[in-house]
Amino acid sequence: MNESDTPRVDFVRQIIVDDNESGKHDGRVQTRFPPEPNGYLHIGHAKAICLNFGIAKEFDGKCNLRFDDTNPEKEDVEYVESIKEDVRWLGFTWDNLHFASDYFEKLYEMAVQLIERGDAYVCSLSAEETREYRGGWNKEGRDSPDRERSVEDNLDLFARMRKGEFSDGEYTLRAKIDMNSPNMNLRDPAMYRIRHAHHHRTGDQWCIYPTYDWTHGQSDSLEGITHSICTLEFENHRPLYDWYVDRLQIFHPQQIEMAKLKLTHTIMSKRRLRELVEGGFVNGWDDPRMPTLSGYRRRGYTPESIRNFCHRIGVTKFNSQTDVGLLEQSAREHLNAIAERRMAVLQPLKVVIENYPEGESEIRAAINNPEDESAGTREIPFGREIYIERNDFMEDPPKKFFRLGPGREVRLRYAFFLKCHDFVKDESGEIVELRCTYDPETAGGKAPDGRKVKGTIHWVSAAHAVDAEVRLYDRMFEKEDASEVPEGEDWKDYLNSKSIEVLSGCKLEPSLQDGDSNTPYQFERLGYFCKDNKDSTPGSLVFNRTAALRDSWAKQQKKK
RNA sequence: UAGCCCGUGGUGUAAUUGGCAACACGAUGGAUUCUGGUUCCAUUGUUCUAGGUUCGAGUCCUAGCGGGCUAACCA
């Protein structure tokens, strides 16, 4: 299963197919992914990335990476670098790398053109006054007192704005469109604002900065973008972008709007994600609980699984909310196919095998991946003392419990049948040790006498185990729709307090000592794990749980 | 309140453009299994409502209802 298993013709691709048939751009297809470098990329961006780069690939076209860096006060090179890294990690290569800031000079010239045509003017209204003059949905707008300023004066003022003769906010350049348009974007929108701010790329070269609305369409046009895909909230902006390129008489890209991704138990707002980072609610942008690409990467998601997820959710104009479970399922599906199996005991309970000779050990062979024969086998040490999972033993087990209990027999994976005879409790009544015997005749996993066991459990040899810290993650928010919070409440109050659980003293089979953070493992019967790419060292291993295995036993228990 | 956009199983999406409503995921039941995983089989449906056009409507028209976006010198 992958992105190509079912060819998808969503409404965006349908438009392109139609355009190619009508010869609109002579079959040329040019897209772009245009992030603002003011935060890290999240899974919602992945949807846009897969769409834009995917379309370019499918239609033998090109896709640019363009940074829409028009707001120096919020942007930073740190974000530029992380965005590039994330796009590459997802598996895409851009044809051209652009920055809207590279077009500042060109944009300035275009603004002058509009002034000369009488389509733009310098306005002295303050931000507040501008809002006041704009009116509202049922309120007509009023013309700025500067609306009829002469072309000469506008030109002069605009030049002086650039020279730095004025202070922040003193003047703006505005498009002269229609102060009574029902579309607010057309009520003489701002094109330039004065900001004596340092830009991460142009430095102090400029003190006037073009607004996004003035920049975006022309940037697309300059790059020859044939299909400019964006999200639904820009629908109302399209008439403005069209107006600009038509007045300028330059190449006219077609904007297509689609719904952005919304996931259950997750937020996608960059502002809020930043708040979590800056407020210390999470451990950075790449915290494995974050819906950022760097977070998913650290957590162990593969690029393939994210691409496959993006393929599955499709593209429409309908505001929907996708179950985060679908993303987890995509991760499991890919990991199941590629991850080598290992045994790891997260909550160890010591087992002494009384009839196994003291001081001795042996090697058991285990299959690395039943889904992939070429992954081969490995050797695992076995001995008199082993660890098993605490919850694989019950002092007083119910009938449907297939694991260990007093007098019960189970199979140790890739080893022997094991029977429990007794257990030891400490003063507090907690079980600290099991006394068991094994049947050496069951080495192949089957008993010569034909007796059967209900369950197979995983284990790690106590003498050979390596210790590790294991971090379990759960959904970031308890609330299904985390972006919708009742009036007067803080969205952060809905954070899941159990979104991370840190287990220490976990016992792993020795082979887990090696390998890097890019190697995914399935810990048998538990889930998919990987080494933490920041905190794990050879002397102090740290593993992250990418996703738990489906657990029909746990599900059954929950129902009761 | 105005403009624009959108309503199809529990969820996400299809429906060759007016011709038997389908796919994936989940859920439920069963089979297989040295992972209570994987795999396999089965079950799960008033296309928001009401009219209209038509031999025939998820698709076209009208009205209603519901949802989203928009009144930053953010993007």
Side-chain angles (χ1 to χ4, degrees):
Chain A
M1 289 276 204
N2 54 53
E3 303 96 286
S4 57
D5 61 354
T6 27
R8 201 174 260 288
V9 184
D10 48 63
F11 83 100
V12 178
R13 279 175 242 251
Q14 189 59 56
I15 289 171
I16 296 172
V17 168
D18 293 346
D19 285 348
N20 282 351
E21 269 172 23
S22 71
K24 186 171 178 186
H25 301 287
D26 300 319
R28 191 174 66 85
V29 174
Q30 171 79 58
T31 57
R32 98 271 95 116
F33 172 60
E36 185 194 14
N38 68 342
Y40 280 61
L41 257 29
H42 55 61
I43 184 77
H45 294 110
K47 176 180 180 181
I49 293 169
C50 291
L51 223 211
N52 280 294
F53 284 94
I55 283 173
K57 197 174 171 187
E58 291 159 34
F59 291 89
D60 198 25
K62 294 194 183 318
C63 181
N64 294 341
L65 173 61
R66 181 181 71 240
F67 289 94
D68 275 340
D69 52 352
T70 56
N71 186 352
E73 286 160 328
K74 291 185 176 169
E75 296 153 8
D76 196 272
V77 282
E78 178 197 351
Y79 301 126
V80 171
E81 291 312 312
S82 75
I83 288 168
K84 288 199 227 166
E85 188 188 354
D86 288 345
V87 172
R88 278 193 224 103
W89 176 72
L90 252 195
F92 297 105
T93 309
W94 49 87
D95 288 285
N96 286 304
L97 176 64
H98 291 296
F99 291 82
S101 52
D102 289 343
Y103 306 138
F104 281 178
E105 189 63 47
K106 186 84 194 164
L107 253 5
Y108 181 86
E109 287 166 23
M110 291 194 232
V112 169
Q113 276 181 49
L114 287 196
I115 294 172
E116 285 169 343
R117 298 178 44 119
D119 284 331
Y121 61 97
V122 172
C123 178
S124 61
L125 255 26
S126 70
E128 258 168 59
E129 289 166 327
T130 307
R131 193 181 322 129
E132 166 73 30
Y133 274 65
R134 186 161 30 234
W137 291 316
N138 271 333
K139 207 170 147 213
E140 288 188 347
R142 277 189 297 147
D143 285 359
S144 159
D146 301 322
R147 203 169 197 259
E148 300 308 324
R149 198 195 297 277
S150 72
V151 169
E152 290 68 34
D153 289 353
N154 281 323
L155 252 14
D156 175 61
L157 247 15
F158 187 48
R160 289 165 61 197
M161 279 169 65
R162 177 178 183 170
K163 272 189 212 149
E165 290 187 22
F166 310 115
S167 54
D168 287 4
E170 211 175 326
Y171 286 105
T172 54
L173 182 73
R174 292 224 263 163
K176 192 173 177 179
I177 308 180
D178 178 4
M179 286 308 290
N180 284 319
S181 172
N183 183 343
M184 292 298 153
N185 295 120
L186 266 20
R187 316 253 266 223
D188 290 12
M191 295 166 62
Y192 278 91
R193 67 284 213 193
I194 301 174
R195 288 283 179 284
H196 292 269
H198 186 85
H199 187 280
H200 66 104
R201 295 195 85 239
T202 59
D204 298 314
Q205 204 181 326
W206 295 87
C207 64
I208 56 172
Y209 288 95
T211 60
Y212 173 85
D213 274 350
W214 164 241
T215 309
H216 188 78
Q218 282 74 261
S219 300
D220 278 347
S221 177
L222 289 169
E223 292 175 25
I225 304 299
T226 54
H227 304 271
S228 172
I229 301 163
C230 65
T231 47
L232 252 25
E233 68 268 32
F234 292 102
E235 240 162 359
N236 297 327
H237 296 238
R238 179 160 25 92
L240 174 59
Y241 302 160
D242 288 348
W243 189 87
Y244 283 137
V245 294
D246 287 345
R247 292 287 154 143
L248 259 8
Q249 297 173 22
I250 56 178
F251 177 75
H252 192 142
Q254 178 184 2
Q255 174 167 299
I256 304 166
E257 306 88 5
M258 54 123 183
K260 58 168 114 183
L261 174 65
K262 191 176 173 189
L263 276 183
T264 57
H265 305 283
T266 316
I267 51 163
M268 225 58 97
S269 148
K270 259 204 251 183
R271 206 191 82 244
R272 287 183 174 177
L273 291 175
R274 186 181 297 104
E275 208 175 323
L276 289 178
V277 173
E278 288 170 357
F281 295 94
V282 295
N283 225 303
W285 286 96
D286 63 348
D287 187 298
R289 291 168 290 179
M290 293 280 273
T292 51
L293 295 183
S294 51
Y296 285 120
R297 175 165 63 235
R298 188 172 174 187
R299 176 142 167 193
Y301 276 67
T302 59
E304 287 89 337
S305 64
I306 290 178
R307 276 188 259 129
N308 193 214
F309 168 75
C310 290
H311 174 258
R312 284 178 173 180
I313 58 175
V315 183
T316 66
K317 301 191 72 152
F318 180 62
N319 286 299
S320 57
Q321 186 172 34
T322 302
D323 191 335
V324 73
L326 188 63
L327 176 60
E328 294 166 356
Q329 182 54 28
S330 299
R332 279 193 206 100
E333 195 174 298
H334 186 228
L335 260 9
N336 176 53
I338 64 161
E340 290 203 359
R341 319 282 120 133
R342 292 292 184 271
M343 290 207 280
V345 175
L346 267 30
Q347 308 195 69
L349 173 60
K350 189 189 253 186
V351 173
V352 178
I353 303 170
E354 294 177 326
N355 61 339
Y356 197 93
E358 265 178 83
E360 286 190 23
S361 67
E362 66 189 276
I363 295 295
R364 305 296 315 164
I367 294 166
N368 280 329
N369 186 351
E371 309 291 318
D372 176 12
E373 211 176 312
S374 71
T377 60
R378 70 186 184 286
E379 299 181 329
I380 312 173
F382 179 80
R384 179 178 159 89
E385 294 193 351
I386 60 172
Y387 292 108
I388 66 166
E389 212 67 59
R390 285 211 94 80
N391 63 10
D392 280 341
F393 176 84
M394 279 183 94
E395 186 180 343
D396 187 18
K399 270 193 199 65
K400 289 291 199 89
F401 187 77
F402 300 152
R403 286 107 98 151
L404 214 50
R408 292 198 183 201
E409 190 172 43
V410 296
R411 176 166 37 231
L412 293 174
R413 178 127 242 233
Y414 297 125
F416 308 93
F417 282 14
L418 181 82
K419 193 166 188 175
C420 176
H421 297 290
D422 200 6
F423 51 88
V424 182
K425 287 186 175 177
D426 64 10
E427 307 82 53
S428 65
E430 198 190 346
I431 296 169
V432 293
E433 187 180 300
L434 301 185
R435 309 297 293 189
C436 301
T437 54
Y438 85 119
D439 180 352
E441 300 298 309
T442 57
K446 287 192 173 68
D449 63 10
R451 73 181 193 280
K452 296 258 164 45
V453 288
K454 276 288 187 47
T456 301
I457 64 173
H458 60 278
W459 53 274
V460 170
S461 164
H464 306 85
V466 291
D467 279 36
E469 174 180 309
V470 175
R471 299 170 182 169
L472 308 181
Y473 301 101
D474 199 355
R475 331 204 132 159
M476 185 165 234
F477 290 87
E478 301 182 47
K479 201 170 183 300
E480 181 167 277
D481 189 347
S483 63
E484 228 43 72
V485 166
E487 216 23 61
E489 288 189 42
D490 186 352
W491 60 275
K492 294 193 290 300
D493 291 343
Y494 288 91
L495 280 165
N496 179 6
S497 57
K498 295 189 276 281
S499 61
I500 180 170
E501 185 183 355
V502 178
L503 303 174
S504 53
C506 304
K507 303 292 183 181
L508 316 182
E509 72 167 78
S511 65
L512 252 7
Q513 179 69 237
D514 313 314
D516 58 23
S517 61
N518 292 320
T519 311
Y521 295 105
Q522 184 197 102
F523 289 178
E524 296 228 17
R525 303 209 304 134
L526 296 174
Y528 299 97
F529 295 78
C530 69
K531 261 181 203 163
D532 187 82
N533 62 17
K534 270 192 178 164
D535 299 340
S536 192
T537 64
S540 160
L541 298 176
V542 178
F543 277 84
N544 294 320
R545 183 175 70 190
T546 310
L549 247 34
R550 276 225 300 235
D551 188 346
S552 50
W553 167 247
K555 209 182 287 174
Q556 217 177 101
Q557 294 305 99
K558 218 183 267 179
K559 274 193 294 188
K560 291 183 180 172

